[in-house]
Amino acid sequence: MSDRPDPGRYVVTDDEVVRLPVAALVLKGSPRAAGEDEEHVRSLIAAERDLPPIIVHHATMRVIDGAHRVRAARLRGQEHITARYFRGSAEDSFVLAVRANIGHGLPLSLKDRISAAERIVTTHPQWSDRMIASVAGISARTVAEIRRRKTADACSGVRIGQDGRARPVDASRRRSLATALLTENPDLSLRQVAQAAGISPETVRAVRNRLLYGRQSAPARTSKPPPRNQARPPVDQDEVLRRLAADPAVRQTDAGRALLRVLRVQAMTGEEWQKIVDNVPAHCAQLVEQAARESARVWDDIAARIAQKTSLAD
């Protein structure tokens, strides 16, 4: 006997097809956060074939599956539409709505699938990760990360930032979810993962970079701050540039020449840099400071990547 999860055992519709008044149907509570897609509605209006019956929650007359078909029927001026009833709970009706929108019609977005899994984890906590994954159309690993994140968020709560946005105290759970999504589908965009995991695109970029270069998805949390790095002796930039410029592997490639041009700008003397600092207009100081700190962050990341590349080569 197969042990594959079968949520269909819990969400069964009537076999009988009925005709229901279009005006009596309720279009609320869809797992599709952005609502119906207008282009898909127009394609249904233009279709000449008979559309399959919609599914309606018997207790509330809420459309579980077929909101686009209902919208198309209203725009065509239809007074009735064919349907099947579902007579279960509101929670199970949502599961059926998600499963139906994964299996056919216009598929749910990644963000909608993640949101649906979050809701089902709450309403059906007894279901396994594999069962919820089979409903929401995501991996069991992603569901496991959602379950762990929701547990952590419930325990630790959230904090409101100066921008008015609520953020979890332990954001590492959201980075872990982003890691699971990127591992499952590396072709997802930064924005798609950011929306699904509830973090910024820049945080997703950092997670992806850590995955690409073999590092953890988030810095390890420690009970005490790590010791400060010991000061390193200054590097003779002129000597570094001389050696790099003398290397044919550097100077004879486009990337190598670009690297030399950038490094020559960075190799200005302390007096030259001080002259620039002294002449930054006061009203631009904050912008220049931000740009300098971002450049430092970028160079630090590049240094880490090169160090990682060197260690892998060893």
Side-chain angles (χ1 to χ4, degrees), residues 114 118 138 141-146 149 171-183 193 196-199 207 217:
I114 295 294
E118 290 176 340
I138 56 179
R141 176 181 175 179
T142 302
V143 175
E145 290 295 342
I146 290 171
R149 190 191 77 190
S172 63
R173 296 295 180 185
R174 296 186 181 273
R175 289 193 293 269
S176 295
L177 176 56
T179 300
L181 293 171
L182 289 170
T183 302
V193 178
I199 54 180
V207 171
S217 63

Side-chain angles (χ1 to χ4, degrees), residues 117-289:
E118 290 176 340
R119 179 169 170 178
I120 297 171
V121 163
T122 301
T123 59
H124 297 72
Q126 74 280 11
W127 282 13
S128 69
D129 296 339
R130 290 178 60 226
M131 180 176 286
I132 296 175
S134 71
V135 171
I138 56 179
S139 71
R141 176 181 175 179
T142 302
V143 175
E145 290 295 342
I146 290 171
R147 198 187 296 271
R148 283 194 288 269
R149 190 191 77 190
K150 290 186 71 66
T151 300
D153 289 352
C155 295
S156 59
V158 296
R159 291 176 181 166
I160 307 298
Q162 291 183 343
D163 58 0
R165 295 176 58 188
R167 295 178 175 85
V169 174
D170 184 4
S172 63
R173 296 295 180 185
R174 296 186 181 273
R175 289 193 293 269
S176 295
L177 176 56
T179 300
L181 293 171
L182 289 170
T183 302
E184 178 186 351
N185 190 346
D187 295 329
L188 291 173
S189 70
L190 298 179
R191 187 171 299 279
Q192 284 177 310
V193 178
Q195 290 180 339
I199 54 180
S200 70
E202 283 305 310
T203 302
V204 177
R205 188 192 303 278
V207 171
R208 187 174 65 181
N209 287 341
R210 289 178 181 277
L211 285 174
L212 288 174
Y213 297 99
R215 290 177 283 173
Q216 295 177 330
S217 63
R221 299 176 66 88
T222 57
S223 56
K224 57 182 180 180
R228 293 183 178 180
N229 294 331
Q230 294 181 350
R232 297 181 180 180
V235 176
D236 186 340
Q237 291 280 56
D238 290 337
E239 175 63 16
V240 169
L241 283 171
R242 186 191 66 77
R243 292 175 61 183
L244 288 174
D247 191 329
V250 176
R251 73 169 187 268
Q252 292 181 3
T253 64
D254 291 340
R257 288 190 290 269
L259 174 63
L260 289 173
R261 287 195 298 271
V262 174
L263 289 176
R264 287 191 179 106
V265 173
Q266 301 289 327
M268 291 192 301
T269 66
E271 292 180 357
E272 290 173 316
W273 280 117
Q274 187 59 49
K275 185 175 181 180
I276 290 176
V277 170
D278 292 341
N279 285 276
V280 171
H283 66 279
C284 297
Q286 187 175 6
L287 291 175
V288 175
E289 177 191 355

Side-chain angles (χ1 to χ4, degrees), residues 1-188:
M1 180 178 296
S2 173
D3 64 350
R4 292 185 61 187
D6 182 17
R9 292 177 298 173
Y10 303 92
V11 283
V12 180
T13 60
D14 290 354
D15 292 331
E16 181 186 2
V17 176
V18 297
R19 285 175 57 82
L20 298 178
V22 173
L25 300 174
V26 178
L27 296 178
K28 291 182 179 179
S30 169
R32 204 179 302 277
E36 292 77 45
D37 182 89
E38 295 298 331
E39 184 176 350
H40 189 56
V41 172
R42 287 195 295 270
S43 69
L44 293 178
I45 294 175
E48 297 181 356
R49 58 185 175 83
D50 292 335
L51 300 176
I54 65 173
I55 301 176
V56 177
H57 188 215
H58 184 267
T60 62
M61 294 299 288
R62 184 177 65 83
V63 175
I64 296 173
D65 178 42
H68 288 98
R69 279 165 274 168
V70 172
R71 286 281 306 280
R74 288 177 176 176
L75 291 174
R76 280 196 300 240
Q78 288 181 219
E79 295 185 356
H80 293 82
I81 191 170
T82 58
R84 285 190 173 94
Y85 277 128
F86 172 72
R87 300 178 186 275
S89 67
E91 290 78 10
D92 283 345
S93 72
F94 180 79
V95 171
L96 179 57
V98 175
R99 191 180 62 161
N101 281 280
I102 292 298
H104 64 260
L106 187 67
L108 294 176
S109 68
L110 175 63
K111 181 180 179 181
D112 288 338
R113 283 180 277 147
I114 295 294
S115 297
E118 290 176 340
R119 179 169 170 178
I120 297 171
V121 163
T122 301
T123 59
H124 297 72
Q126 74 280 11
W127 282 13
S128 69
D129 296 339
R130 290 178 60 226
M131 180 176 286
I132 296 175
S134 71
V135 171
I138 56 179
S139 71
R141 176 181 175 179
T142 302
V143 175
E145 290 295 342
I146 290 171
R147 198 187 296 271
R148 283 194 288 269
R149 190 191 77 190
K150 290 186 71 66
T151 300
D153 289 352
C155 295
S156 59
V158 296
R159 291 176 181 166
I160 307 298
Q162 291 183 343
D163 58 0
R165 295 176 58 188
R167 295 178 175 85
V169 174
D170 184 4
S172 63
R173 296 295 180 185
R174 296 186 181 273
R175 289 193 293 269
S176 295
L177 176 56
T179 300
L181 293 171
L182 289 170
T183 302
E184 178 186 351
N185 190 346
D187 295 329
L188 291 173

